[in-house]
């Protein structure tokens, strides 16, 4: 006997909530800050249905349903038109944006660069970049800094050093500016995508974003040409891409495809981690008790010396702090998928063309999944608490086959940078104003997070009693 097909999902389906926000309000929110376009019902219900301009969207926050969609039914999903519109001009057919089967062999080609043993070999370069930043900070006369900018520079140095064997003559400040210019109007890109406007339609910041992409791709092209011209056979990510072949077609990566991936790894590989770090410093400034615990751990694990690669895995509380920051401020706040092949999810039939929204930001602050979700509390990530929550209640790196390839790299890097900098400095938020999160594909602060540096007793040693 064949099973009855599940009824097609609709606003009337049991367990599904229908968002009634007006289309005009949604578009205005998308342009201003796509984070505010997440329907408020999403923070309290597991499934929220939104229909707009003939497209049906389903916001999923139930971890078991997320697993069913992104893991079990991953083959039925694509990245879809909206992702292609927002990221395609910059990242082309690179690993983040490619659809299967082009995605599959690119992932296989890049995977060896992220094997655990290899990642551990990157730790000295990560610590070295953090120490250079620390030494620059020590020389700052005014003791004020924009922490977002500082972290972008540090993680940029690390990604090019570890994956591309050095930054050579790349102008990091110009790259940072260009990434911001590209992401700046992304709210417009989403809004026009939702409105199904033709791609030629102008919007504020469009020509600047176009110039930024042309500049960035030019930088990558120069890097690739230098590499092709050199006879050196380096075993880094670029070397792997130059040597890669699709096992089914025998096709190698052409120059455009390698540039797509250089763009992907350089942008996805530094911006997200930098934002996670900037939000961590911001939260620590408001939670001196947590900072004190980090200091104690640093003193216990590292002692009166410099941070070494073997310390990183032992800094477990620091890793908890980074995870708790990514819970509240997930650097990639929303994942989008398109239903390419219809399938059933939680007793509902999802039709082809439906858009699935996985709002990581709302999952991480969901009232049914977290106790006092707005509270910053790194003890949630103590190892003994892991069993208390579903694996996909916390998913800063996504889920399923498209999960972030750089997750272990990013966590290791973040702990190393925090350890080196917090061992030497305290960072205060002089205005004590909480920064407002603004989604520009990634989760940025609306305004620069200016912080004030203060020295700590050497190596985080306990303060002498006065
Ligand atoms: C805290 C830092 C990071 C966060 C929060 C983050 C988050 C994510 C998320 C959520 C996805 C899945 C997107 C989706 O399913 O549509 C993703 C994919 C990806 N990330 Fe990361 N990422 C981080 C760091 C990195 C680093 C360091 C690298 C590279 C060195 C990297 C490279 C990539 C790539 C290439 C993909 C696409 C993977 C695929 O589709 O096969 N990310 N990232």
């Amino acid at each position: 006997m064949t099973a009855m097909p599940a009824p097609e999902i609709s606003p009337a389906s049991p367990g599904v909530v229908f968002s009634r926000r007006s289309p005009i309000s949604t578009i205005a929110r998308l342009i201003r800050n796509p984070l505010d376009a997440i329907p408020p019902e999403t923070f309290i219900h597991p499934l929220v249905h939104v229909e707009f301009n003939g497209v049906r969207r389903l916001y999923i926050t139930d971890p078991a349903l997320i697993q069913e969609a992104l893991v079990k039914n991953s083959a039925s999903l694509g990245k879809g038109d909206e992702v292609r519109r927002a990221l395609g001009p910059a990242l082309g057919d690179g690993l983040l944006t490619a659809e299967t089967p082009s995605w599959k062999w690119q992932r296989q080609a890049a995977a060896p660069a992220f094997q655990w043993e290899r990642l551990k070999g990157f730790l000295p370069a990560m610590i070295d970049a953090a120490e250079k930043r620390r030494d620059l900070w020590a020389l700052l006369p005014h003791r004020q800094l924009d922490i977002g900018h500082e972290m972008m520079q540090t993680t940029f140095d690390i990604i090019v050093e570890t994956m591309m064997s050095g930054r050579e003559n790349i102008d990091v400040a110009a790259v940072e500016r260009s990434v911001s210019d590209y992401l700046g109007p992304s709210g417009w890109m989403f809004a026009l995508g939702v409105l199904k406007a033709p791609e030629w339609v102008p919007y504020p910041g469009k020509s600047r974003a176009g110039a930024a992409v042309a500049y960035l791709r030019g930088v990558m092209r120069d890097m690739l040409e230098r590499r092709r011209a050199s006879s050196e056979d380096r075993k880094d990510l670029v070397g792997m891409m130059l040597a890669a072949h699709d096992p089914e077609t025998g096709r190698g990566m052409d120059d455009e495809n390698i540039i797509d991936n250089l763009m992907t790894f350089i942008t996805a590989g530094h911006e997200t981690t930098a934002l996670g770090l900037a939000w961590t410093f911001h939260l620590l400034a408001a939670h001196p008790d947590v900072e004190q615990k980090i200091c104690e751990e640093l003193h216990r694990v590292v002692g009166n010396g410099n941070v070494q690669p073997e310390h990183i895995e032992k800094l477990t509380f620091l890793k908890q702090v980074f995870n708790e920051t990514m819970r509240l401020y997930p650097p990639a706040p929303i994942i989008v998928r398109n239903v390419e092949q219809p399938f059933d999810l939680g007793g509902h039939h999802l039709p082809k063309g439906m858009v699935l929204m996985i709002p990581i930001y709302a999952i991480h602050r969901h009232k049914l999944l977290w106790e006092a979700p707005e509270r910053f509390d790194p003890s949630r990530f103590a190892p003994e608490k892991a069993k208390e929550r579903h694996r996909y209640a916390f998913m800063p790196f996504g889920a399923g086959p498209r999960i972030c390839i750089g997750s272990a790299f990013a966590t290791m890097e973040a702990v190393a940078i925090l350890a080196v900098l917090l061992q030497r400095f305290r960072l205060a938020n002089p205005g004590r104003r909480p920064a407002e999160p603004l989604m520009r594909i990634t989760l940025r602060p609306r305004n620069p997070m200016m912080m004030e540096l203060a020295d700590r007793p050497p190596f985080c040693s306990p303060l002498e009693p006065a």
Side-chain angles (χ1 to χ4, degrees):
M1 205 170 74
T2 48
M4 287 278 288
E8 185 158 313
I9 195 159
S10 79
S13 306
V16 179
V17 171
F18 179 51
S19 173
R20 296 186 182 279
R21 194 180 261 160
S22 81
I24 291 178
S25 160
T26 300
I27 290 297
R29 285 162 192 271
L30 273 177
I31 294 170
R32 209 174 47 235
N33 185 359
L35 211 56
D36 295 339
I38 300 175
E41 298 87 347
T42 308
F43 292 80
I44 34 181
H45 294 284
L47 287 175
V48 178
H49 185 281
V50 179
E51 186 152 6
F52 183 75
N53 204 21
V55 176
R56 299 165 65 187
R57 278 163 211 278
L58 189 65
Y59 283 83
I60 314 177
T61 51
D62 179 326
L65 296 180
I66 289 169
Q67 179 168 18
E68 209 177 317
L70 292 187
V71 184
K72 192 170 151 218
N73 288 289
S74 62
S76 303
L77 299 172
K79 289 262 172 162
D81 226 35
E82 287 171 21
V83 172
R84 187 193 54 73
R85 252 183 110 134
L87 291 175
L91 309 184
D93 190 36
L95 186 58
L96 183 71
T97 33
E99 303 282 4
T100 354
S102 162
W103 162 77
K104 201 168 171 191
W105 78 276
Q106 294 190 55
R107 177 102 185 187
Q108 281 163 0
F114 293 90
Q115 276 162 1
W116 185 241
E117 282 310 311
R118 205 180 160 93
L119 290 186
K120 282 205 285 191
F122 293 149
L123 267 172
M126 292 171 175
I127 293 172
D128 191 48
E131 286 177 343
K132 287 202 178 104
R133 190 62 36 191
R134 177 196 65 195
D135 298 344
L136 281 173
W137 285 5
L139 299 174
L140 276 181
H142 43 74
R143 314 232 102 191
Q144 289 239 338
L145 44 83
D146 169 354
I147 190 66
H149 169 71
E150 295 291 322
M151 291 301 100
M152 291 287 176
Q153 300 233 327
T154 313
T155 57
F156 185 87
D157 282 349
I158 292 173
I159 195 75
V160 290
E161 186 60 40
T162 55
M163 295 283 157
M164 285 119 207
S165 304
R167 72 148 88 161
E168 299 176 25
N169 44 8
I170 300 178
D171 178 348
V172 190
V175 167
E176 191 189 344
R177 246 188 342 267
S178 303
V179 172
S180 290
D181 285 350
Y182 183 67
L183 296 179
S186 57
W188 278 99
M189 295 180 210
F190 287 130
L192 292 170
V194 166
L195 288 168
K196 295 191 211 153
E199 292 193 36
W200 54 260
V201 169
Y203 52 83
K206 186 176 186 182
S207 57
R208 192 188 276 211
V213 167
Y215 172 77
L216 288 168
R217 290 188 70 91
V219 170
M220 304 305 149
R221 194 176 304 280
D222 290 348
M223 186 195 274
L224 179 60
E225 273 167 15
R226 275 197 301 275
R227 200 54 182 275
R228 283 209 192 278
S230 117
S231 50
E232 227 182 302
D233 176 22
R234 293 190 211 150
K235 300 271 179 272
D236 58 6
L237 183 71
V238 188
M240 285 174 199
M241 289 193 291
L242 283 166
H245 282 95
D246 181 341
E248 272 165 34
T249 62
R251 187 173 73 97
M253 281 192 203
D254 61 20
D255 280 8
E256 283 313 301
N257 199 195
I258 294 182
I259 291 168
D260 290 344
N261 275 309
L262 289 176
M263 285 286 289
T264 301
F265 279 95
I266 286 196
T267 50
H270 91 283
E271 153 105 11
T272 41
T273 318
L275 289 170
L277 284 162
W279 287 112
T280 307
F281 283 110
H282 181 71
L283 283 168
L284 287 180
H287 295 87
D289 51 327
V290 175
E291 208 182 349
Q292 181 56 34
K293 273 189 83 175
I294 295 176
C295 229
E296 285 161 19
E297 180 176 78
L298 281 169
H299 196 65
R300 200 171 55 249
V301 174
V302 183
N304 290 339
N306 285 328
V307 174
Q308 303 294 333
E310 62 272 20
H311 296 140
I312 302 305
E313 254 187 291
K314 296 184 188 139
L315 293 169
T316 50
F317 183 68
L318 200 42
K319 186 174 162 193
Q320 282 174 225
V321 171
F322 188 61
N323 279 339
E324 175 65 348
T325 302
M326 288 198 295
R327 182 183 71 79
L328 285 169
Y329 297 100
I334 301 183
I335 290 178
V336 183
R337 290 291 189 276
N338 215 45
V339 176
E340 305 290 346
Q341 303 287 338
F343 64 96
D344 291 353
L345 182 76
H348 309 288
H349 186 71
L350 306 190
K352 182 173 160 66
M354 181 165 228
V355 177
L356 303 188
M357 309 289 290
I358 317 291
I360 300 176
Y361 184 82
I363 297 163
H364 287 184
R365 292 174 181 244
H366 202 283
K367 303 235 177 345
L368 298 178
L369 300 174
W370 300 94
E371 196 195 321
E374 308 295 319
R375 193 176 65 215
F376 176 62
D377 177 7
S379 77
R380 298 178 202 271
F381 289 94
E384 64 277 10
K385 300 251 184 90
K387 285 198 202 84
E388 288 173 19
R389 61 172 179 270
H390 192 286
R391 152 92 178 73
Y392 295 109
F394 178 64
M395 46 174 298
F397 296 110
R402 305 297 299 248
I403 197 167
C404 178
I405 198 170
S407 61
F409 180 101
T411 308
M412 198 180 255
E413 174 186 28
V415 173
I417 293 173
L418 288 168
V420 170
L421 295 176
L422 288 171
Q423 202 191 27
R424 172 78 165 76
F425 295 109
R426 288 210 63 218
L427 274 81
N429 173 3
R432 289 176 191 276
R433 247 178 294 139
E436 185 195 342
L438 171 71
M439 182 175 161
R440 289 291 175 246
I441 298 184
T442 51
L443 197 68
R444 299 179 146 219
R446 185 176 285 279
N447 299 306
M449 286 185 203
M450 298 308 297
M451 305 204 78
E452 234 166 54
L453 272 184
D455 290 326
R456 246 186 230 298
F459 301 113
C460 240
S461 54
L463 284 170
E464 294 290 328

